[in-house]
Amino acid sequence: MDTDQVSGRWDATKGACPTRQVLGRIGDTWTMLIITTLEREGTLRSGQLKASIEGITQKMLTQTLRHLERDGVVRRDVVPTVPITVTYTLTPLGQSLGAAVATMRTWAYQHMDEIVAARNDYDTRD
Protein backbone atom coordinates (compact mmCIF):
# COMPACT_ATOMS: atom_id res chain seq x y z
CA MET A 1 0.00 0.00 0.00
CA ASP A 2 1.25 3.48 -0.85
CA THR A 3 2.18 5.24 2.38
CA ASP A 4 1.46 8.63 0.78
CA GLN A 5 -2.20 7.65 0.73
CA VAL A 6 -2.04 6.33 4.29
CA SER A 7 -0.56 9.42 5.90
CA GLY A 8 -2.02 12.10 3.65
CA ARG A 9 0.61 14.36 5.19
CA TRP A 10 3.68 13.74 3.03
CA ASP A 11 4.10 13.59 -0.73
CA ALA A 12 7.66 13.13 -1.96
CA THR A 13 6.64 14.14 -5.49
CA LYS A 14 6.10 17.69 -4.22
CA GLY A 15 9.16 19.91 -4.23
CA ALA A 16 8.68 21.31 -0.74
CA CYS A 17 8.10 17.94 0.93
CA PRO A 18 10.79 17.30 3.59
CA THR A 19 10.74 13.59 2.84
CA ARG A 20 12.86 14.38 -0.23
CA GLN A 21 15.80 15.13 2.08
CA VAL A 22 15.24 11.90 3.96
CA LEU A 23 15.00 9.86 0.76
CA GLY A 24 18.14 11.50 -0.57
CA ARG A 25 19.99 10.71 2.64
CA ILE A 26 18.90 7.09 2.96
CA GLY A 27 19.44 6.48 -0.76
CA ASP A 28 23.04 7.65 -0.52
CA THR A 29 25.67 4.93 -1.00
CA TRP A 30 27.72 5.98 2.04
CA THR A 31 24.64 6.04 4.27
CA MET A 32 23.69 2.53 3.18
CA LEU A 33 27.21 1.24 3.76
CA ILE A 34 27.48 2.85 7.21
CA ILE A 35 24.08 1.44 8.22
CA THR A 36 25.07 -2.00 6.90
CA THR A 37 28.38 -1.95 8.75
CA LEU A 38 26.91 -0.78 12.06
CA GLU A 39 24.11 -3.32 11.74
CA ARG A 40 26.62 -6.13 11.17
CA GLU A 41 29.36 -5.03 13.59
CA GLY A 42 27.48 -3.14 16.29
CA THR A 43 29.08 -0.16 18.02
CA LEU A 44 32.20 1.09 16.23
CA ARG A 45 34.68 3.93 16.37
CA SER A 46 35.11 6.20 13.36
CA GLY A 47 38.42 4.58 12.39
CA GLN A 48 36.87 1.13 12.51
CA LEU A 49 34.05 2.28 10.26
CA LYS A 50 36.50 3.84 7.82
CA ALA A 51 38.57 0.64 7.72
CA SER A 52 35.44 -1.44 7.08
CA ILE A 53 34.10 0.65 4.19
CA GLU A 54 36.48 0.65 1.24
CA GLY A 55 36.74 3.96 -0.59
CA ILE A 56 35.08 6.24 1.96
CA THR A 57 37.09 9.34 2.76
CA GLN A 58 37.34 10.74 6.27
CA LYS A 59 35.42 13.81 5.11
CA MET A 60 32.51 11.75 3.71
CA LEU A 61 32.45 9.49 6.76
CA THR A 62 32.32 12.45 9.16
CA GLN A 63 29.73 14.30 7.08
CA THR A 64 27.49 11.25 6.70
CA LEU A 65 27.74 10.34 10.40
CA ARG A 66 26.77 13.90 11.38
CA HIS A 67 23.72 13.78 9.09
CA LEU A 68 22.70 10.39 10.44
CA GLU A 69 23.13 11.58 14.02
CA ARG A 70 21.04 14.68 13.30
CA ASP A 71 18.29 12.50 11.78
CA GLY A 72 18.28 10.25 14.85
CA VAL A 73 19.54 7.20 12.96
CA VAL A 74 22.95 6.96 14.65
CA ARG A 75 23.89 7.69 18.27
CA ARG A 76 27.28 9.24 18.92
CA ASP A 77 28.77 8.49 22.33
CA VAL A 78 31.81 10.27 23.72
CA VAL A 79 33.78 8.40 26.38
CA PRO A 80 36.06 10.64 28.48
CA THR A 81 39.28 8.68 28.03
CA VAL A 82 42.73 9.90 27.03
CA PRO A 83 42.45 10.38 24.11
CA ILE A 84 38.68 10.76 23.94
CA THR A 85 36.88 7.74 22.50
CA VAL A 86 33.91 8.39 20.19
CA THR A 87 31.68 5.51 19.16
CA TYR A 88 28.70 5.19 16.84
CA THR A 89 25.70 2.89 17.25
CA LEU A 90 22.42 2.51 15.39
CA THR A 91 19.42 3.85 17.29
CA PRO A 92 16.13 1.95 17.19
CA LEU A 93 15.19 4.21 14.26
CA GLY A 94 18.47 3.28 12.57
CA GLN A 95 17.83 -0.40 13.19
CA SER A 96 14.45 -0.12 11.48
CA LEU A 97 16.17 1.62 8.56
CA GLY A 98 18.72 -1.21 8.55
CA ALA A 99 15.92 -3.63 7.69
CA ALA A 100 14.96 -1.53 4.65
CA VAL A 101 18.61 -1.23 3.59
CA ALA A 102 18.97 -5.02 3.90
CA THR A 103 15.99 -5.47 1.58
CA MET A 104 17.53 -3.18 -1.04
CA ARG A 105 20.93 -4.83 -0.67
CA THR A 106 19.37 -8.29 -1.10
CA TRP A 107 17.51 -7.09 -4.19
CA ALA A 108 20.76 -5.76 -5.68
CA TYR A 109 22.57 -9.05 -4.98
CA GLN A 110 19.75 -11.09 -6.50
CA HIS A 111 19.50 -8.99 -9.67
CA MET A 112 23.12 -8.00 -10.27
CA ASP A 113 23.60 -10.50 -13.12
CA GLU A 114 20.50 -9.14 -14.89
CA ILE A 115 21.68 -5.56 -14.40
CA VAL A 116 25.15 -6.37 -15.77
CA ALA A 117 23.57 -8.07 -18.80
CA ALA A 118 21.25 -5.10 -19.40
CA ARG A 119 24.18 -2.68 -19.16
CA ASN A 120 26.24 -4.74 -21.56
CA ASP A 121 23.31 -4.88 -23.99
CA TYR A 122 22.80 -1.13 -23.71
CA ASP A 123 26.50 -0.37 -24.16
CA THR A 124 26.76 -2.47 -27.34
CA ARG A 125 23.86 -0.76 -29.13
CA ASP A 126 24.65 1.37 -32.17
Side-chain angles (χ1 to χ4, degrees):
M1 177 177 270
D2 187 348
T3 56
D4 289 342
Q5 293 178 8
V6 172
S7 71
R9 185 171 174 196
W10 310 113
D11 184 351
T13 64
K14 304 298 182 201
C17 185
T19 60
R20 283 193 178 195
Q21 285 182 328
V22 174
L23 292 172
R25 174 115 48 251
I26 64 177
D28 175 70
T29 300
W30 299 125
T31 294
M32 291 189 149
L33 295 175
I34 288 170
I35 299 284
T36 297
T37 303
L38 288 174
E39 185 177 46
R40 183 182 62 229
E41 304 292 331
T43 300
L44 293 173
R45 295 170 62 178
S46 177
Q48 293 170 310
L49 272 167
K50 188 172 185 309
S52 297
I53 303 171
E54 289 184 20
I56 194 166
T57 63
Q58 186 61 50
K59 178 182 176 181
M60 283 309 302
L61 178 62
T62 301
Q63 182 178 7
T64 305
L65 285 168
R66 283 182 183 155
H67 290 305
L68 292 173
E69 182 184 6
R70 181 173 184 244
D71 289 345
V73 173
V74 168
R75 186 181 75 239
R76 178 180 182 263
D77 291 310
V78 179
V79 181
T81 57
V82 178
I84 292 176
T85 302
V86 179
T87 59
Y88 297 90
T89 307
L90 290 178
T91 64
L93 182 63
Q95 290 170 356
S96 70
L97 177 56
V101 169
T103 299
M104 290 187 283
R105 188 176 57 247
T106 299
W107 182 90
Y109 292 161
Q110 290 174 341
H111 297 283
M112 202 61 231
D113 290 336
E114 294 169 73
I115 293 167
V116 169
R119 288 177 178 175
N120 289 338
D121 181 54
Y122 181 90
D123 291 346
T124 58
R125 292 184 200 164
D126 289 328

